Amino acid sequence: MTESEPTLRLEGIVKTFPGVRALDGVSFEVRAGEVHALLGENGAGKSTLMKVLAGMYQPDAGQIVVSGRPVVMRNPIEAKHNGVILIHQELSLAEEMSVAENIFLGELPRRRWGFVDWKSLHERVATILDKLNCDFGPRTRIDTLSIAKKQMVEIARALTHQARIVVFDEPTASLTDQEKVVLFDIIRDLQRDGVGIVYISHRMEEIFTISNRISVLRDGTHRGTLETAETDEDEVTRLMIGRSLSYERNREAPDVGDVALAVEGLSCGRLFDDIGFELRAGEVLGFYGLVGAGRTELAETLFGLRRPTAGRIVLGGSEARIDSSVEAIRQGISLVPESRKEQGLVLSMNCRDNMTLPQIDDLTAGPFVSNGGEIAIYDMYRDQLDIKAPSWRQLVQFLSGGNQQKIVIGKWLAMKPRVLIVDEPTRGIDVGSKAEIHNLLRELARSGYAVMVISSEMPEVLHVSDRIIAMYQGRITRQFTAAEVNEDNLVQAISGIGPGSGGKARPIGAQAA
Amino acid sequence: MAQVLSTPTAPRLSGAFRWLLRHPIWGFVAVVFIFFSFATAHFFDVQNLQNVLVQTSTIGLIALGMTLVMINGNIDLSVGATLALAASLTVDIMGWPVFADWGNWQLLPAVLAGLAAGVAIGALNGIIVWKTGVDAFIVTLGAMLGVRGLVFVYTEEQSFYAMNFAYSDFGASSIGPLPTLAVIFIVCAIAIHLLLSQTVHGRNTYAVGGNREAAVNAGIRVGPHMVVNFMIVGFFAALAGITLSTQMGASTPNLGRDYELWVITAVVLGGTKLTGGAGNIIGTLGGVLAIGILRNGMNLMQVPAFYVLVILGTILIAVLFLDKQLNRKGEEELRL
Amino acid sequence: MASTTSPDRIKDLTTVLARQGILIAFILFMIGFGLVSDRFLTPENLMTVVRQSAIIGVMAIGVTVVVLSGNLDLSVGSMLSFATVLVVDLHDKLGAAPAIGVMLVATLCIGAINGFLVGFLRLNSLIVTLGMLSAIQGVTLIYSGGKNVDIADQETTWFAIFGRGEVLGMATPIVIFLGLAAIMHLVIAYTPYGRRIYAVGGNPTAAVFSGIRRNRVVFSTYLVSAFCVGIAAIILGSRVMGSQNNVGQGYELLVLSAVILGGTSLLGGSGTIWKTVIGVLILGFIQNGLLLLGFPYFAQWIVTWIVIILAVWLDVAAKRGRLFSPIA
């Protein structure tokens, strides 16, 4: 492995699927001992490229060269033997098996007659776990571990082979800050051993912390490689989306009406505790926090899907008992849930049927569903939200993420709610549609809806919200108006760092009491 | 199913108790065992316990294979029909004129043919599941009808009788204190337990059922792996057919009807999850014994067989209910 | 990155073929048998087949509703034994009308138990209905004391109309089967209730998030299924004028085969009643055609095996866009 020869070189990789050219002549190289960040929007071809690297897909054209030697990898095992290891984003562990078995999945050491060589397996795994500072042993069962520890098991797989290239796909998605530090240490160790790292992440700050170079994919093509030290977020963003993206901060002064929803001392077991806030008609209230801060659970409680252990919910001035989604809808609450495909849509149903589902009982002509009534509703929201579907008969599973999300939003707007709760409205949606949905949320507020937006993307919260509530570990830490919030105090608030000296921000507890 | 039971005192519990928590069905087995020992005069007789083992062995053998298939996340509904096919073939072939002067050796080709038929049906099921991607439930539901149809067409709806008495003698023979059939079952159970817990194939069985995608990504050849397990259950269904027909010295085309239901009941009672990824032979053994002891004991108490059906159905649902309750996350759970 | 360019015509054609495959297979099947046997396509023969299919057909309608909502009902076979024994036994004791009433109530109660366990307690439907299969079988045997039952006065009772009589010049079982199918088709395809069933079967979580009371919907499907079994028991009891206590044994799988043949997905959320009717008729015509051609009775099961797997395979293949599964 000489200095001049890169550890990994991709030459003109092409991969097509029926109707799609997922990778269109991608070439780039990863040097030994560098962290090479791979960036691109959803659908830019990152995951296809990774699967090609991991031997899960075969490229239609092009060549993969590992340490100067062209290789063909027909399956993940061959990829491993060539020193290319993929650390999956979605945990790919078998829950009922031991840590050791999972780390060596597919390659358990054998003795005679196909018996597992437990001794050598456990010894090798113990060494690896030591290196990772894990506090669990090889025999621990996976289903007793926390998500972050499972992620560590996933990472341990990288250390089973003499790795030349390790591909990390969004490795920090479920890690705590301390665990991130451990992960970055491991990455630096690998670097020192001369391993090339491909690091895929959406989090710019991580990329700028850890990477040496950044390659950007867009529409299946390689748009360029930048030295991390010589570039900035703006340049990377421009490469990614083809234009500069500046999220304006929301500067509108809201024309607020009455209190639509007031929450007092709402708690639900260990999920969240003593939540209090007010939401007025005509404003957008943003909820910002880390994954697991309890925001989604709060929304689900307001929507009747979890039973609060304490506290009151006041809707339009009178206390509401919401013990089911049916009741929540009746009381005028709508929830656009976090996961479009799992919670928002019935993928096997068409656009119209999905949109009218919550009010199907009221759309009747005699005993039957009123076809005309349904189509009228669909047409109305198709036009209002600019949904692009060939016809209402199209099954929603064939729509793009943005259009799917609009169907869900349309479904809940059609209920004419008093309070509209939107959880992660733009997750997995392309940039163009994102902007549309942001504008839509602003417009809804202007037309008098009380809107609650939960988001994990800071630019998004800053862009759409009139006020922002920061949550940390199930509690509200601070509440900001659009004028007083800035990135620094917001980050502090969601990381559990107490209210700083900035006197403008007031703790929410005072208001709720 | 039971690690949730662990209480704060768990570390101080004896190993035996913790073992019981992992295999709660054995607690049930112990309870019914003790109950029938006191409640009936003859349950505890050596003779009767041997009976229980022999009666259990038929469903037990199939359950061994079914455990593998169900840990894989598949199911095999065709085992009852496969059993009948193997039994009919074996009993018929040993009487073929070609083997007329083979003496007791005529059993050999017959038994081999019966076992081969079982393995072949299993392989066919497995390959169809693998190659077509149709759910195992549907594939083996089809096979359940089709193979039973084959049996009826092959036998012309007649029963066959074993003309070589060595065959039925074998079914009644003993090795030392244990009936031969019980010995066969115990040996097979130990073998499959080792296969499942100690070999690479066995460990992969959990991986394939627990997280199919992970198994594929890890380079396990999931298709052939599943075919092997279907062949194993086919083999055991055939073996059960042969042992059952040695007991009767005959085979009928209706042999093994509803056995798939009994077997699945036993395996689920033993803690194997329908969704795959979890389960073991020790649990399955408990499930099989629970059913066997219940049937035998209630028979001795002269409870009509009807009540056994009701009790078993109720127990099956109760076990499912308890499992669900024990795994609840509590009040803060999302209510869907 | 999904490109929404319209797929080429050939692919459209194969999709249509696969979607309507069951209907096309049915037509080819009828033509084929019609060419080989000149007795097959006679009106009398066709009517005979439909009449003989009525019991499985009525049950299949109910099971289709359960499967659409994403569950299974394996207890219909032993429920049929139970209901038939009950209605036949009570006929002589209470008279025909009360017998039917009591039987329907009892059957609905069993359906309610299924529905409670699966719908409200959320237990796995395969295991629950498997347990119920065994339990109901036991209850039937306990009730009948292991004896078969029959109706003493077979000639004069009006109960005979359901299995042996005619309505509007057609055999009553046919009228009941097709009438029930038509009604249930309307209910499932065109009412809010039907829409809720599709939603619960297609994505139970999303259904709850859309304000659908999933528990009640699932519960109700088992009532529908039990009701259909009750109707089937009336036809069966009336036709035979007696009942063995295991008369329904194995029906659950024939019924499920018909539902699967009709293209209803066992995962729930996709399928229709009228296709189940086609599935039932295919089973009936396979049996009838093979018998006319002189094959042994049970040869139909072998053919059914092949037909089921081919039908589902084509369906699965059309959805994934390739014939064989990509699994290594």
Side-chain angles (χ1 to χ4, degrees):
Chain A
M1 205 186 300
T2 60
E3 203 47 46
S4 59
E5 184 57 61
T7 312
L8 173 73
R9 198 166 74 235
L10 299 180
E11 294 170 358
I13 301 287
V14 175
K15 176 71 189 172
T16 56
F17 296 105
V20 189
R21 208 169 169 83
L23 292 177
D24 195 0
V26 172
S27 306
F28 75 96
E29 49 183 58
V30 180
R31 298 178 197 132
E34 83 162 336
V35 176
H36 196 115
L38 191 59
L39 273 168
E41 288 191 273
N42 294 309
K46 280 176 315 201
S47 57
T48 312
L49 185 63
M50 271 169 355
K51 286 182 175 170
V52 167
L53 268 179
M56 291 153 78
Y57 288 159
Q58 302 310 305
D60 300 324
Q63 197 166 215
I64 304 172
V65 183
V66 175
S67 302
R69 200 165 47 85
V71 293
V72 177
M73 304 182 294
R74 279 169 307 211
N75 57 50
I77 287 284
E78 286 192 11
K80 258 190 196 175
H81 289 304
N82 281 305
V84 182
I85 292 162
L86 172 63
I87 310 296
H88 293 272
Q89 169 188 11
E90 277 149 30
L91 296 168
S92 55
L93 302 171
E95 295 276 320
E96 304 265 344
M97 300 173 79
S98 73
V99 167
E101 286 174 312
N102 268 286
I103 291 176
F104 277 86
L105 199 64
E107 301 184 287
L108 294 171
R110 287 164 190 263
R111 289 185 299 152
R112 256 174 309 164
W113 300 0
F115 280 86
V116 178
D117 185 351
W118 295 110
K119 191 159 167 272
S120 118
L121 174 69
H122 287 145
E123 275 170 8
R124 287 163 74 180
V125 170
T127 322
I128 294 171
L129 293 181
D130 271 354
K131 200 168 171 184
L132 294 179
N133 290 325
C134 291
D135 58 358
F136 48 87
R139 288 182 177 79
T140 317
R141 265 169 55 132
I142 294 292
D143 56 3
T144 62
L145 297 178
S146 69
I147 291 183
K149 285 179 182 168
K150 287 178 187 170
Q151 184 81 48
M152 297 306 282
V153 174
E154 191 79 54
I155 289 166
R157 284 179 173 168
L159 307 179
T160 57
H161 283 70
Q162 196 47 55
R164 293 201 180 91
I165 289 290
V166 179
V167 184
F168 287 94
D169 182 14
E170 299 273 0
T172 55
S174 52
L175 294 190
T176 64
D177 285 343
Q178 291 107 315
E179 286 159 337
K180 266 186 216 172
V181 173
V182 177
L183 173 68
F184 287 170
D185 281 347
I186 293 163
I187 290 179
R188 293 202 182 93
D189 274 353
L190 288 170
Q191 252 183 307
R192 227 169 295 137
D193 296 344
V195 176
I197 312 278
V198 179
Y199 190 92
I200 297 165
S201 176
H202 281 109
R203 305 189 179 188
M204 286 281 188
E205 74 276 12
E206 274 173 26
I207 285 172
F208 278 89
T209 312
I210 192 132
S211 74
N212 303 102
R213 291 194 299 165
I214 300 173
S215 280
V216 177
L217 286 183
R218 184 167 91 232
D219 300 332
T221 59
H222 178 225
R223 290 295 162 137
T225 299
L226 307 165
E227 292 286 337
T228 309
E230 296 161 12
T231 183
D232 57 20
E233 294 193 13
D234 196 46
E235 188 181 6
V236 175
T237 313
R238 238 181 304 127
L239 270 183
M240 261 171 73
I241 62 175
R243 63 190 155 87
S244 195
L245 182 75
S246 58
Y247 270 143
E248 299 257 325
R249 291 271 294 277
N250 175 38
R251 301 288 182 207
E252 270 175 62
D255 184 13
V256 294
D258 296 334
V259 174
L261 167 74
V263 172
E264 293 165 20
L266 199 65
S267 307
C268 183
R270 287 160 298 152
L271 297 172
F272 56 83
D273 189 33
D274 194 23
I275 301 293
F277 64 87
E278 282 183 350
L279 173 61
R280 288 172 180 272
E283 73 169 343
V284 177
L285 179 57
F287 278 74
Y288 188 62
L290 295 170
V291 173
R295 299 164 299 155
T296 295
E297 291 76 5
L298 171 63
E300 286 163 351
T301 309
L302 292 175
F303 195 60
L305 294 175
R306 290 181 195 271
R307 191 172 311 204
T309 44
R312 306 201 315 146
I313 300 171
V314 181
L315 269 172
S318 54
E319 181 165 357
R321 275 191 54 83
I322 305 171
D323 54 7
S324 68
S325 55
V326 183
E327 189 57 30
I329 292 169
R330 213 182 58 76
Q331 306 246 19
I333 299 179
S334 284
L335 170 65
V336 175
E338 183 180 20
S339 166
R340 204 162 47 240
K341 287 183 179 166
E342 276 148 38
Q343 303 167 328
L345 295 168
V346 182
L347 292 174
S348 56
M349 281 169 65
N350 63 41
C351 297
R352 181 200 69 180
D353 292 3
N354 264 291
M355 198 179 272
T356 55
L357 198 52
Q359 52 180 322
I360 194 69
D361 283 330
D362 303 322
L363 287 173
T364 48
F368 299 116
V369 175
S370 154
N371 204 29
E374 280 196 287
I375 293 176
I377 288 181
Y378 173 75
D379 283 350
M380 183 174 153
Y381 289 95
R382 180 199 57 202
D383 295 343
Q384 186 184 333
L385 304 179
D386 195 21
I387 294 169
K388 292 187 185 68
S391 107
W392 62 260
R393 289 185 182 82
Q394 180 78 343
L395 299 186
V396 291
Q397 58 187 316
F398 299 121
L399 297 183
S400 71
N403 281 310
Q404 284 181 343
Q405 187 71 329
K406 287 183 192 169
I407 297 268
V408 185
I409 294 177
K411 156 169 132 177
W412 290 111
L413 289 184
M415 297 307 291
K416 307 259 183 296
R418 281 194 283 199
V419 176
L420 178 66
I421 308 173
V422 193
D423 196 353
E424 302 289 359
T426 61
R427 179 173 285 178
I429 289 180
D430 62 275
V431 171
S433 309
K434 256 187 185 177
E436 274 182 58
I437 286 177
H438 291 158
N439 292 338
L440 179 70
L441 291 174
R442 290 298 326 159
E443 244 170 69
L444 288 173
R446 245 191 315 256
S447 60
Y449 284 101
V451 185
M452 185 173 150
V453 175
I454 297 168
S455 174
S456 299
E457 291 183 41
M458 187 182 290
E460 179 165 287
V461 204
L462 292 174
H463 181 54
V464 300
S465 316
D466 297 310
R467 286 187 300 137
I468 296 173
I469 285 177
M471 284 183 70
Y472 173 71
Q473 292 192 345
R475 288 175 167 276
I476 291 181
T477 46
R478 278 165 92 178
Q479 172 176 300
F480 306 90
T481 65
E484 59 200 19
V485 70
N486 62 47
E487 298 193 0
D488 288 337
N489 57 22
L490 195 50
V491 165
Q492 283 180 1
I494 64 153
S495 324
I497 304 166
S501 50
K504 281 183 207 162
R506 60 203 148 86
I508 184 70
Q511 191 198 27
Chain B
M1 131 168 47
Q3 55 276 53
V4 277
L5 270 175
S6 54
T7 53
T9 56
R12 282 189 287 125
L13 296 174
S14 68
F17 194 74
R18 260 183 287 134
W19 184 87
L20 200 59
L21 284 181
R22 267 191 293 131
H23 305 289
I25 188 66
W26 280 95
F28 183 77
V29 170
V31 168
V32 288
F33 189 87
I34 294 167
F35 173 78
F36 285 121
S37 300
F38 285 106
T40 68
H42 299 293
F43 177 79
F44 204 71
D45 292 357
V46 173
Q47 175 74 40
N48 185 57
L49 293 181
Q50 286 178 350
N51 270 344
V52 172
L53 275 179
V54 171
Q55 287 161 1
T56 306
S57 70
T58 310
I59 289 198
L61 283 171
I62 310 176
L64 297 177
M66 187 72 87
T67 306
L68 295 185
V69 170
M70 284 176 64
I71 292 176
N72 253 180
N74 292 317
I75 200 164
D76 188 348
L77 299 174
S78 69
V79 288
T82 306
L83 179 152
L85 181 68
S88 300
L89 272 176
T90 307
V91 176
D92 186 36
I93 287 175
M94 75 178 70
W96 282 3
V98 231
F99 304 124
D101 47 5
W102 284 38
N104 282 347
W105 285 104
Q106 64 190 195
L107 297 187
L108 185 69
V111 167
L112 286 181
L115 293 177
V119 172
I121 297 287
L124 183 62
N125 282 333
I127 289 171
I128 293 174
V129 170
W130 169 20
K131 284 297 179 186
T132 65
V134 176
D135 194 76
F137 187 87
I138 296 177
V139 171
T140 59
L141 174 69
M144 174 184 179
L145 279 177
V147 174
R148 184 67 70 183
L150 272 179
V151 174
F152 278 118
V153 171
Y154 173 74
T155 61
E156 292 171 338
E157 300 168 47
Q158 301 300 311
S159 295
F160 294 151
Y161 298 92
M163 294 309 170
N164 188 329
F165 291 113
Y167 192 64
S168 37
D169 287 347
F170 180 82
S173 66
S174 291
I175 300 176
L178 286 171
T180 311
L181 298 186
V183 172
I184 291 179
F185 173 49
I186 292 168
V187 169
C188 289
I190 293 172
I192 293 296
H193 176 68
L194 286 178
L195 174 78
L196 198 50
S197 61
Q198 301 298 327
T199 69
V200 174
H201 178 82
R203 303 318 292 168
N204 286 351
T205 300
Y206 287 94
V208 167
N211 192 333
R212 164 94 67 106
E213 208 180 323
V216 172
N217 289 345
I220 297 172
R221 295 204 63 205
V222 170
H225 172 93
M226 294 190 311
V227 174
V228 169
N229 281 340
F230 273 107
M231 287 164 74
I232 291 175
V233 75
F235 172 84
F236 279 115
L239 185 58
I242 291 166
T243 59
L244 188 60
S245 60
T246 61
Q247 290 173 56
M248 311 191 307
S251 77
T252 69
N254 262 318
L255 205 64
R257 247 183 121 159
D258 287 352
Y259 272 36
E260 53 282 337
L261 306 181
W262 289 106
V263 169
I264 292 169
T265 303
V267 175
V268 171
L269 284 180
T272 299
K273 289 215 174 77
L274 277 175
T275 45
N280 55 61
I281 293 297
I282 294 172
T284 295
L285 227 47
V288 170
L289 274 179
I291 293 180
I293 293 175
L294 262 181
R295 286 177 118 172
N296 176 278
M298 295 185 72
N299 188 25
L300 290 179
M301 287 177 76
Q302 297 183 340
V303 178
F306 324 151
Y307 290 92
V308 183
L309 291 170
V310 180
I311 290 172
L312 271 173
T314 313
I315 290 175
L316 183 61
I317 294 170
V319 164
L320 203 60
F321 176 71
L322 284 177
D323 187 37
K324 185 100 177 177
Q325 290 304 308
L326 292 174
N327 283 311
R328 276 182 56 161
K329 291 187 197 101
E331 274 303 298
E332 31 189 80
E333 202 177 349
L334 191 60
R335 290 180 299 155
L336 287 176
Chain C
M1 104 184 60
S3 105
T4 44
T5 50
S6 63
D8 47 33
R9 290 268 165 83
I10 297 166
K11 205 178 168 207
D12 272 354
L13 189 66
T14 49
T15 314
V16 170
L17 275 177
R19 273 269 159 80
Q20 305 301 334
I22 193 66
L23 196 58
I24 295 162
F26 182 61
I27 293 166
L28 290 179
F29 202 83
M30 298 298 282
I31 295 172
F33 271 125
L35 288 176
V36 187
S37 163
D38 51 357
R39 277 181 300 161
F40 185 71
L41 282 177
T42 57
E44 300 83 52
N45 188 51
L46 296 183
M47 279 306 174
T48 307
V49 174
V50 181
R51 199 187 69 228
Q52 287 170 344
S53 304
I55 291 168
I56 286 194
V58 167
M59 290 164 74
I61 292 168
V63 171
T64 304
V65 175
V66 172
V67 173
L68 278 180
S69 77
N71 296 297
L72 283 174
D73 190 349
L74 295 181
S75 68
V76 289
S78 53
M79 219 191 291
L80 180 70
S81 304
F82 171 79
T84 312
V85 165
L86 195 61
V87 75
V88 166
D89 184 60
L90 293 180
H91 179 276
D92 286 1
K93 294 177 181 164
L94 305 177
I100 292 175
V102 171
M103 179 275 286
L104 279 179
V105 169
T107 311
L108 284 173
C109 284
I110 295 178
I113 296 175
N114 278 333
F116 176 75
L117 292 169
V118 178
F120 288 94
L121 296 186
R122 297 284 169 79
L123 304 182
N124 180 295
S125 65
L126 172 70
I127 302 292
V128 164
T129 56
L130 198 59
M132 290 296 283
L133 182 158
S134 157
I136 300 168
Q137 212 174 346
V139 169
T140 311
L141 289 164
I142 292 169
Y143 176 84
S144 67
K147 297 188 199 67
N148 296 333
V149 292
D150 52 28
I151 291 174
D153 177 17
Q154 306 197 354
E155 299 307 318
T156 58
T157 175
W158 60 268
F159 186 64
I161 188 162
F162 300 111
R164 301 175 170 185
E166 288 195 350
V167 174
L168 309 168
M170 255 201 287
T172 323
I174 300 183
V175 176
I176 296 177
F177 171 33
L178 297 182
L180 190 67
I183 294 170
M184 283 312 293
H185 181 71
L186 288 177
V187 169
I188 297 301
Y190 299 110
T191 67
Y193 173 67
R195 189 72 62 77
R196 286 199 295 266
I197 288 178
Y198 278 104
V200 167
N203 185 344
T205 309
V208 174
F209 270 86
S210 299
I212 290 172
R213 296 183 201 272
R214 167 186 170 190
N215 298 358
R216 291 188 197 177
V217 171
V218 172
F219 178 79
S220 73
T221 62
Y222 281 96
L223 291 185
V224 171
S225 170
F227 177 76
C228 289
V229 172
I231 301 294
I234 295 173
I235 300 175
L236 181 60
S238 161
R239 191 166 85 195
V240 183
M241 283 291 158
S243 180
Q244 297 177 318
N245 44 39
N246 64 349
V247 63
Q249 194 182 25
Y251 265 58
E252 58 279 341
L253 296 164
L254 291 174
V255 166
L256 199 55
S257 304
V259 174
I260 292 169
L261 261 186
T264 301
S265 160
L266 286 187
L267 300 174
S270 113
T272 61
I273 298 286
W274 74 266
K275 281 191 183 169
T276 291
V277 172
I278 301 283
V280 170
L281 292 182
I282 289 186
L283 279 189
F285 282 113
I286 289 177
Q287 173 183 355
N288 175 266
L290 290 174
L291 284 178
L292 284 184
L293 293 180
F295 283 94
Y297 178 82
F298 288 104
Q300 54 167 305
W301 284 5
I302 303 172
V303 176
T304 305
W305 179 17
I306 298 165
V307 173
I308 285 181
I309 288 176
L310 284 181
V312 182
W313 183 9
L314 281 181
D315 196 35
V316 172
K319 275 183 194 133
R320 87 179 145 227
R322 54 196 285 189
L323 192 56
F324 290 106
S325 151
I327 292 178

